[in-house]
Amino acid sequence: MLWRKLLVPLTALMLLLTASAGAGAAAASTGSPTGSGAEAAAADYGAPGPYATAVEVGAVTTLYYPRDIATSDRRHPVIVWGNGTFAFPVVYRELLLHWASQGFIVAAANTPQSNLGISMRAGIDLLTRRNADQASPFHDRVDLEHIGASGHSQGGAAAIVVGADPRIDTILPIQPGPLANIDNVHVPALLLAGQKDSIVFPFLVKAFYNDADHIPAIYGELRGADHLTVVGDPGPFAAPTTAWFKAHLMGDQTARAQFFGADCGICTDSGTWSDVRRNGLASQ
């Protein structure tokens, strides 16, 4: 079984990273203070963003978010996250904190079995309540009009499942497992594969891309990446995932140029990408 192959490596990594991260309901990481024009300064999408970050671990959802959100001068878009099989958000902590440093609120499902997307949708519900609660630091600071879905492996399939939710504006499945139907998705999709992935082979991700002819869809295969490259230090996954969400959830036109137009950045970057494909709707 495909998912059984993930048990040993991801569980070991989860335990290792949990030990190094420590326990607690909330933690903060350092970063530049939030200020006016902060988003414009973050031109290198692979570099840490301008926001200091915080983490809140709940029963169902772990939130990664800009630490000073209560005093922010803007609403922050949302990314809901699904884990790989037998994994938890701490396994992907560096990527999720990276997105938070770029101004996103990440609602990561705590479940190690995310395929149905139930806990990912619960993250949207949680932030909807927090946004309406005048006593919450998230009050009126959550941009519920701009929500993306992402995840890795089984969680990547869950991102496709959740992509059918009308609240979702874009999906970014990372090496998604096969248990999803992209025909139900009606928003733009960036489907990422790893050139050397021997668990979710690139042809499985291409199958989703080939079936996604009804939406703007891009297939990106990261050169040299295997199934666990995104775990821990996200490496080559940090920049393109951030740029995609900045383009679709923040209206960043510089980020958009990485994927669209005649001179799209990823189309010419053969050092990072071993294969890039854009369907007709994405090429227009």
Side-chain angles (χ1 to χ4, degrees):
M1 294 287 289
L2 176 62
W3 304 119
R4 291 173 186 260
K5 296 179 181 179
L6 286 172
L7 175 58
V8 173
L10 281 181
T11 301
L13 276 164
M14 179 193 71
L15 294 173
L16 175 63
L17 291 174
T18 301
S20 63
S29 69
T30 59
S32 303
T34 304
S36 60
E39 296 299 333
D44 182 356
Y45 301 111
Y51 293 92
T53 58
V55 181
E56 178 189 317
V57 181
V60 177
T61 306
T62 297
L63 297 176
Y64 299 80
Y65 59 95
R67 186 175 63 195
D68 298 327
I69 194 166
T71 57
S72 177
D73 58 359
R74 58 161 298 171
R75 291 183 176 90
H76 295 267
V78 175
I79 301 170
V80 292
W81 172 264
N83 309 301
T85 304
F86 299 114
F88 293 90
V90 68
V91 172
Y92 307 97
R93 182 176 185 272
E94 297 306 316
L95 177 62
L96 306 186
L97 283 174
H98 179 76
W99 290 342
S101 79
Q102 295 282 352
F104 298 98
I105 303 169
V106 183
N110 288 340
T111 177
Q113 299 286 344
S114 58
N115 210 133
L116 296 178
I118 296 170
S119 295
M120 292 171 70
R121 291 188 178 96
I124 303 176
D125 297 336
L126 170 65
L127 287 171
T128 300
R129 295 191 299 271
R130 293 285 187 89
N131 189 61
D133 181 0
Q134 294 186 6
S136 170
F138 293 89
H139 174 59
D140 204 28
R141 298 298 87 192
V142 185
D143 183 357
L144 294 168
E145 297 300 316
H146 295 93
I147 303 175
S150 186
H152 175 237
S153 198
Q154 184 181 159
I160 297 173
V161 172
V162 173
D165 190 306
R167 297 173 292 181
I168 298 296
D169 296 289
T170 186
I171 63 170
L172 199 166
I174 300 172
Q175 297 160 303
L179 301 180
N181 184 359
I182 205 165
D183 290 340
N184 296 326
V185 176
H186 297 286
V187 295
L190 174 60
L191 297 144
L192 295 184
Q195 182 189 23
K196 296 185 177 180
D197 192 339
S198 59
I199 294 176
V200 176
F201 295 98
F203 76 85
L204 294 171
V205 185
K206 286 178 188 173
F208 281 124
Y209 166 78
N210 292 333
D211 199 28
D213 55 0
H214 61 296
I215 56 174
I218 298 176
Y219 169 82
E221 185 180 290
L222 282 155
R223 185 175 298 281
D226 62 27
H227 197 67
L228 298 181
T229 297
V230 72
V231 172
D233 179 354
F237 287 91
T241 58
T242 302
W244 180 264
F245 282 130
K246 284 225 168 191
H248 287 85
L249 304 182
M250 292 183 175
D252 186 325
Q253 294 305 305
T254 301
R256 188 173 182 82
Q258 293 294 309
F259 308 98
F260 301 102
D263 300 317
C264 84
I266 69 169
C267 299
T268 57
D269 183 4
S270 59
T272 302
W273 304 93
S274 52
D275 191 0
V276 173
R277 306 182 185 196
R278 300 188 297 171
N279 69 7
L281 293 175
S283 298
Q284 292 175 2

